[in-house]
Amino acid sequence: MPARALAQLEIEGRRVLIRTDFDVPLTPARGIADPAAILRAVPTIKEVLARGARVVLGAHLGEPGGRPRPELSLEPVGAALAELLGQEVLLADEPVGDGARKVISDLRPGGVALLENLRFAPGEEGNEERFARTLASYGDVFVNDAFSVCHRAHGSVAGVPRHIGQRGMGLELEREVIAFDRLLGEVERPFVVIMGGDRVAERMSALDVLLDRADAFFFGGVVANTFLRARGGSLGRSLFEDDRGAWARSFLTRATLRDVAVHLPRDLVVAAGTRSITGRVVGSHRVPDDQAALDIGPETAASFAEAIAQARTVFWNGPMGVFESEPFAGGTLAVARAIASTRGALAIAAGRETAIAVRRSGVSDRLAHITSAGAAALEYLQGRRLPGLTALDS
C-alpha cells in the first residue's frame, strides 16, 4: 500500500519522530540566512502538537562527515523554530545516545525536542542498523517530512521506518509528492524545462528522460557552458564539464530529431572572478582567455523570458549564473519573473539555490510549487523509486 498521510496516523498522546529538512544556509555569524525550510516544517509540527503528541525532530545541516562540527550545530535552527512555534524547543547535545535519550524522556505532551545534527553520527549516512534502531526507539510513530533527502538511503530516511510500524508522510512531503506527480502526468503544453547550475553529470539522466516529454529546453550556468564548449565555443576560464561533451552533442542531435527546441545563451556576462564588482557582455562563443562566464547576457535573458512566458508547464532547476553576486544576478531574476508571468501555468522550481532565487525575485506567490529539493526532484521525475518513500509503504 502507498504511504499513509499524516491524518491517517494514530499519534494522539504518542511520541512522533519527524524527519524534517533543516538544511538551511547560515550567515557568517551563524544566524539563519534563509528560514524557508524551517517555515515549511512548521505546519506538520503544529498539526502533530495539536493532536496531543510529543514531537522529536531529526534533521541534518551541511556535510559534517560523520563527526561533530560545532559550526554545523542545529542550535540556531532550534532557536528560530522556538520563535516560530512560540514555545521552547529542547536541543539534545547529540543525535543519539544518553544525552538524546534524557531530553526525550523529559518531554511532556505538547513538548518539542530537536536532536543534534544527525550527520554528526557516522551511522546516519552509512545507514547502520544499530544507529537506525536507536533512533527509532525515540518515537512510537515515524513521519518523514523531508522530500529533499528521500533519494538518500540514510539511517533516518530508509533505516528508521523498518523499526516503527506506524509511519507516513508529513504535510510538506505529501505536498511535494502531489506537485511532482502532476509533472509526471498529462500536462498542458508548451512544457518547458529550464536547467542551470553546475554538476552536469547529476542532471544528465533527468535531461534524457525529460527530452521525451518537454517541448523546449533553456540552459544556463555550467550546464549551458558545457553545451557551448561541446559546440566548439571558446569559454576562457569559465567552468564547464569537458568530459560530458559527447553526451551534450548527442542530446542536441536527439532534440533536433524530436523537434524539441534547445535554447542556449547568445551572450554572456563575464568577469575575472565571482568577486568582481561588475561584468561585461560578450558573445557566447567568444569569452576572453582571462575571463569567466558568470551569467547569461541581456539579449539571452530577454529572448529566454519572451519564450518562457508562453509556457503552460514549467520545471526549473538551477540558476543561470552566480546570482548570489549582484552583478551576475540579472539572468536568473529575469527567468524567475518570466515564469511568474505565465499566470495559471503549472510552474515548479526545484533546488535550494533556485528556491532562494525565486524568493529574492519577489514572485514566490506566483509559482505553483517551490522546493529546496533538487537531486530528489530530478530522480523522482525519472520515475525512480526513492528509498525514503519506499520505506514508508505500508
Side-chain angles (χ1 to χ4, degrees):
M1 293 175 59
R4 284 178 286 182
L6 186 62
Q8 298 173 297
L9 299 175
E10 299 172 5
I11 64 177
E12 288 73 11
R14 309 181 80 181
R15 293 174 307 163
V16 180
L17 175 61
I18 305 176
R19 182 31 162 123
T20 192
D21 177 9
F22 288 154
D23 191 20
V24 294
L26 300 177
T27 66
R30 298 193 70 247
I32 307 297
D34 186 337
I38 305 173
L39 288 166
R40 287 194 299 268
V42 168
T44 293
I45 297 169
K46 284 188 172 181
E47 172 65 19
V48 173
L49 290 173
R51 292 170 61 183
R54 289 169 286 172
V55 171
V56 181
L57 299 169
H60 77 276
L61 177 62
E63 300 289 346
R67 59 185 177 84
R69 288 178 54 186
E71 71 273 18
L72 293 178
S73 169
L74 285 173
E75 183 178 0
V77 172
L81 181 62
E83 187 172 343
L84 289 169
L85 294 176
Q87 69 175 77
E88 183 181 22
V89 174
L90 302 173
L91 176 66
D93 60 3
E94 57 187 351
V96 294
D98 293 339
R101 191 175 296 107
K102 176 65 166 61
V103 167
I104 294 165
S105 68
D106 288 344
L107 272 185
R108 296 293 178 263
V112 180
L114 173 62
L115 301 173
E116 185 54 281
N117 193 331
L118 294 175
R119 291 187 181 175
F120 282 3
E124 165 65 351
E125 294 186 83
N127 194 11
E128 296 175 4
E129 179 71 10
R130 182 178 179 182
F131 174 82
R133 282 185 178 276
T134 302
L135 192 57
S137 72
Y138 300 158
D140 307 304
V141 180
F142 175 73
V143 173
N144 189 335
D145 208 30
F147 183 69
S148 60
V149 294
C150 278
H151 64 305
R152 304 290 192 190
H154 289 175
S156 66
V157 179
V160 167
R162 295 198 305 268
H163 307 294
I164 299 182
Q166 280 259 11
R167 54 187 181 270
M169 296 185 292
L171 300 176
E172 179 64 17
L173 177 56
E174 184 180 11
R175 193 172 71 91
E176 301 263 33
V177 170
I178 290 171
F180 285 103
D181 279 347
R182 292 180 68 188
L183 276 185
L184 289 172
E186 289 298 320
V187 297
E188 286 191 67
R189 296 188 178 278
F191 174 17
V192 307
V193 173
I194 306 163
M195 198 75 73
D198 53 9
R199 298 190 297 274
V200 179
E202 292 183 10
R203 292 175 162 87
M204 287 165 46
S205 295
L207 286 169
D208 285 337
V209 170
L210 289 168
L211 184 57
D212 290 328
R213 292 183 51 78
D215 300 298
F217 289 83
F218 297 81
F219 292 120
V222 177
V223 179
N225 294 345
T226 299
F227 277 102
L228 293 170
R229 176 65 176 172
R231 293 175 61 174
S234 298
L235 273 297
R237 294 169 54 195
S238 308
L239 295 177
F240 55 85
E241 296 186 17
D242 215 9
D243 56 343
R244 308 300 172 184
W247 169 84
R249 289 186 289 273
S250 170
F251 184 91
L252 293 172
T253 298
R254 285 178 283 138
T256 300
L257 292 174
R258 289 170 169 79
D259 197 26
V260 175
V262 175
H263 299 267
L264 294 172
R266 301 176 187 175
D267 58 347
L268 298 164
V269 178
V270 302
T274 58
R275 295 185 179 181
S276 299
I277 60 173
T278 188
R280 63 188 178 99
V281 178
V282 302
S284 61
H285 285 73
R286 298 187 300 277
V287 177
D289 291 343
D290 62 344
Q291 302 283 291
L294 301 177
D295 191 14
I296 57 175
E299 181 185 348
T300 299
S303 65
F304 277 19
E306 182 179 2
I308 291 168
Q310 309 306 311
R312 299 306 303 154
T313 303
V314 181
F315 174 66
W316 180 21
N317 171 241
M320 298 293 98
V322 188
F323 79 98
E324 302 92 334
S325 179
E326 188 64 30
F328 314 114
T332 297
L333 298 182
V335 165
R337 290 164 186 152
I339 296 172
S341 72
T342 60
R343 295 185 181 275
L346 172 59
I348 295 179
R352 188 166 86 167
E353 290 183 334
T354 313
I356 292 172
V358 172
R359 289 191 289 275
R360 186 174 297 176
S361 70
V363 299
S364 299
D365 59 334
R366 301 191 208 168
L367 273 67
H369 189 68
I370 304 166
T371 175
S372 60
L378 292 175
E379 292 201 19
Y380 195 81
L381 289 178
Q382 295 173 60
R384 296 181 180 177
R385 290 175 59 81
L386 305 188
L389 295 179
T390 301
L392 298 179
D393 291 346
S394 300

